[in-house]
Amino acid sequence: AAAALAAAGIGVRCVSMATPLGGEAVQRRIASGLFDADDAAAIVGPLVSADAVHVAAEGARRRLPVVSPSATSSALSAPDNALFRTVPPDDQQAVALADLCAQMRWTRVAVLTTKTRYATLIARRFAARAPAVGVDVVANETVAQDVADDVESVERLRDALRAIRDARTSVIILSAASADAFTIMSVAQGAQMTGAGWTWVATDAAQLLDRDTFRDASRSTVLTQQAMQGMLAVRARGGHGAAFHRFKAEWSARDESAYPGRVHRSAADNDAELAVAPYVAETIDAAYAVVAAAERLVRDGVTSTLEMRRNGRLLDAMQRVAFDGVTGRVQFDANGDPKYPLYDLANFVGDTWRDVGVWDPRETKPSGKYRLTHQIVWPGASLTQPGHLQLGAGTAGALCAGAAAGGSSPDVGLMVATVIFALLFAGALGGIIFLLFKNRAGFRVQTA
């Protein structure tokens, strides 16, 4: 994330922090310390929801904005919150999954989830939403987290798959973290529940199973990759448009030791479309959202960080941010969530995910909320939707207007943004990025 911001032209100072184990009390102390620097006007991060709870609470107490590019827990949505997000909450993901089932005319589906807060929340919200769009959840199975850790958990997974088969549906909604999704697809293949005639639709965590995962040529990895062919997933709208393409090209041209990331491997593989890690685009938009808010204050004569911090001025300015970012229109609702949430529909083909459509809740066409941009390759390498009416790219229309990030980014010439990227290890890996606004003195990158 820090490299992404640097490549976008924002000065970065990196600091790596290892925090001791100590539970929520330690996390709260860390969150409090993040705001102690007098030149910290805002925080971009954390990356995970568990950390965001504490950092957002401290931001609200001090009336300083926190902007997360990847914390998706619906529990973080609240009015008059100091937390803003450039990624939709998981509630919206459940709606997008239900709309996909309705549009594909899948009237009988199964849900398979793991016992994690992330996975179970999406599964429950999907099951609650499904009847409203004419979808019947005929099987709803839950298995243990880290399902591969013991024989008993794997056997319970096999039981869950048998129950789904007995429910006589071939459409399975999978809500699980990436490691568990890998195991589940492997076991499903052994149960002959993948390939032609089967449809697996995953939540956004599945996008972490990509080319890097499948570089390992072990038998289990190869078989799991085969099992995932034709799989679908919904994921937060990634970067699009000319601005994002320029960013990726510039990043790939930089020295990999200073600007590491997936984009270099993608360039080495001669990919037609340079790939970046998940949430890079959302991180860019999060950083520019703070810059846009600060620019508003600069135009009003507020030029020092101290003045921006005073009486929640930058926080108030964040609520009025509106610009065209690399993920689409960046604007926040009363809960600090994206006002215009969008999801990409991704299709797993070969060893990677490719975007084949976009979900836009504002879409009013009778065909549904999705507009397909490319033909879906279904399991068994078929171009025909198994067992249902085909939804082809020709009838689905073009990309939703305004979703591509063709607009210009905020002009950062009025100020310098110095970013501190801190990696927090407190149960789960989280990232915190401080944005420090100072008088214009040129961009620089420092690593500590």
Side-chain angles (χ1 to χ4, degrees):
L5 290 164
I10 301 175
V12 178
R13 179 160 52 92
C14 299
V15 177
S16 180
M17 300 170 58
T19 63
L21 297 178
E24 292 190 0
V26 172
Q27 287 181 305
R28 284 193 292 269
R29 287 199 298 272
I30 294 169
S32 177
L34 296 176
F35 291 93
D36 286 343
D38 290 338
D39 54 358
I43 291 177
V44 174
L47 300 183
V48 296
S49 299
D51 294 331
V53 171
H54 304 289
V55 178
E58 186 65 21
R61 189 179 74 82
R62 302 199 188 201
R63 288 192 49 75
L64 293 173
V66 177
V67 192
S68 176
S70 56
T72 61
S73 172
S74 298
L76 294 169
S77 298
D80 302 320
N81 199 350
L83 178 69
F84 300 86
R85 294 190 277 188
T86 52
V87 62
D90 290 330
D91 276 357
Q92 292 288 347
Q93 187 174 169
V95 173
L97 284 166
D99 286 348
L100 178 64
C101 292
Q103 188 160 336
M104 294 293 182
R105 302 190 184 182
W106 296 326
T107 56
R108 292 170 52 83
V109 304
V111 175
L112 180 57
T113 186
T114 54
K115 290 181 180 178
T116 64
R117 183 177 300 178
Y118 157 81
T120 54
L121 182 143
I122 297 176
R124 289 173 183 167
R125 298 294 169 84
F126 170 81
R129 170 73 176 174
V133 294
V135 177
D136 185 14
V137 177
V138 297
N140 199 335
E141 297 292 324
T142 302
V143 297
Q145 182 184 10
D146 301 325
V147 66
D149 283 357
D150 59 80
V151 174
E152 183 179 347
S153 294
V154 173
E155 189 55 40
R156 169 67 189 105
L157 171 58
R158 291 194 178 101
D159 290 341
L161 291 171
R162 281 191 287 269
I164 290 171
R165 184 192 290 274
D166 291 344
R168 303 183 65 80
T169 180
S170 60
V171 179
I172 304 168
I173 308 300
L174 176 60
S175 183
S178 57
D180 286 328
F182 182 94
T183 302
I184 289 168
M185 294 307 296
S186 177
V187 176
Q189 187 186 53
Q192 297 184 338
M193 293 177 64
T194 62
W198 292 91
T199 301
W200 286 79
V201 184
T203 53
D204 59 354
Q207 69 180 308
L208 300 177
L209 298 176
D210 62 3
R211 180 171 298 168
D212 291 340
T213 305
F214 300 110
R215 290 181 188 274
D216 172 16
S218 67
R219 176 175 171 78
S220 62
T221 300
V222 170
L223 291 176
T224 303
Q225 182 179 349
Q226 292 174 358
M228 289 178 58
Q229 296 304 307
M231 193 175 188
L232 297 175
V234 296
R235 56 181 179 180
R237 180 84 165 146
H240 294 268
F244 192 60
H245 291 308
R246 287 195 301 270
F247 160 77
K248 290 191 294 183
E250 182 177 350
W251 187 2
S252 66
R254 299 290 184 94
D255 182 358
E256 186 174 2
S257 63
Y259 297 88
R262 184 179 302 171
V263 70
H264 295 286
R265 295 191 295 276
S266 183
D269 290 337
N270 294 316
D271 291 341
E273 179 74 21
L274 290 174
V276 295
Y279 304 114
V280 165
E282 288 84 353
T283 301
I284 295 170
D285 280 350
Y288 276 125
V290 181
V291 172
E295 276 198 320
R296 178 184 290 272
L297 294 179
V298 169
R299 288 195 296 269
D300 292 340
V302 180
T303 58
S304 73
T305 301
L306 184 61
E307 288 297 316
M308 289 182 185
R309 288 169 57 101
R310 184 169 296 162
N311 299 323
R313 285 180 172 177
L314 188 59
L315 179 65
D316 293 339
M318 282 292 302
Q319 295 168 345
R320 300 191 298 274
V321 162
F323 65 95
D324 291 324
V326 297
T327 62
R329 187 68 178 170
V330 178
Q331 198 168 349
F332 305 105
D333 65 16
N335 291 328
D337 297 329
K339 189 173 182 178
Y340 306 108
L342 299 170
Y343 281 98
D344 284 326
L345 178 63
N347 186 200
F348 190 82
V349 178
D351 61 358
T352 193
W353 296 93
R354 64 188 188 100
D355 293 332
V356 294
V358 63
W359 174 81
D360 185 346
R362 297 168 293 176
E363 181 56 65
T364 58
K365 288 186 177 180
S367 58
K369 303 295 185 183
Y370 284 85
R371 296 184 182 181
L372 298 191
T373 57
H374 297 84
Q375 180 70 58
I376 294 173
V377 179
W378 298 94
S382 173
L383 298 181
T384 302
Q385 183 179 335
H388 296 274
L389 294 176
Q390 182 182 4
L391 183 65
T395 60
L399 273 170
C400 58
S408 60
S409 300
D411 179 9
V412 295
L414 295 176
M415 65 198 73
V416 170
T418 301
V419 182
I420 301 178
F421 183 51
L423 297 180
L424 301 183
F425 298 90
L429 176 65
I432 305 293
I433 303 173
F434 293 83
L435 294 186
L436 313 176
F437 295 97
K438 300 180 178 180
N439 293 329
R440 181 170 184 173
F443 289 118
R444 60 178 179 174
V445 176
Q446 301 180 54
T447 302

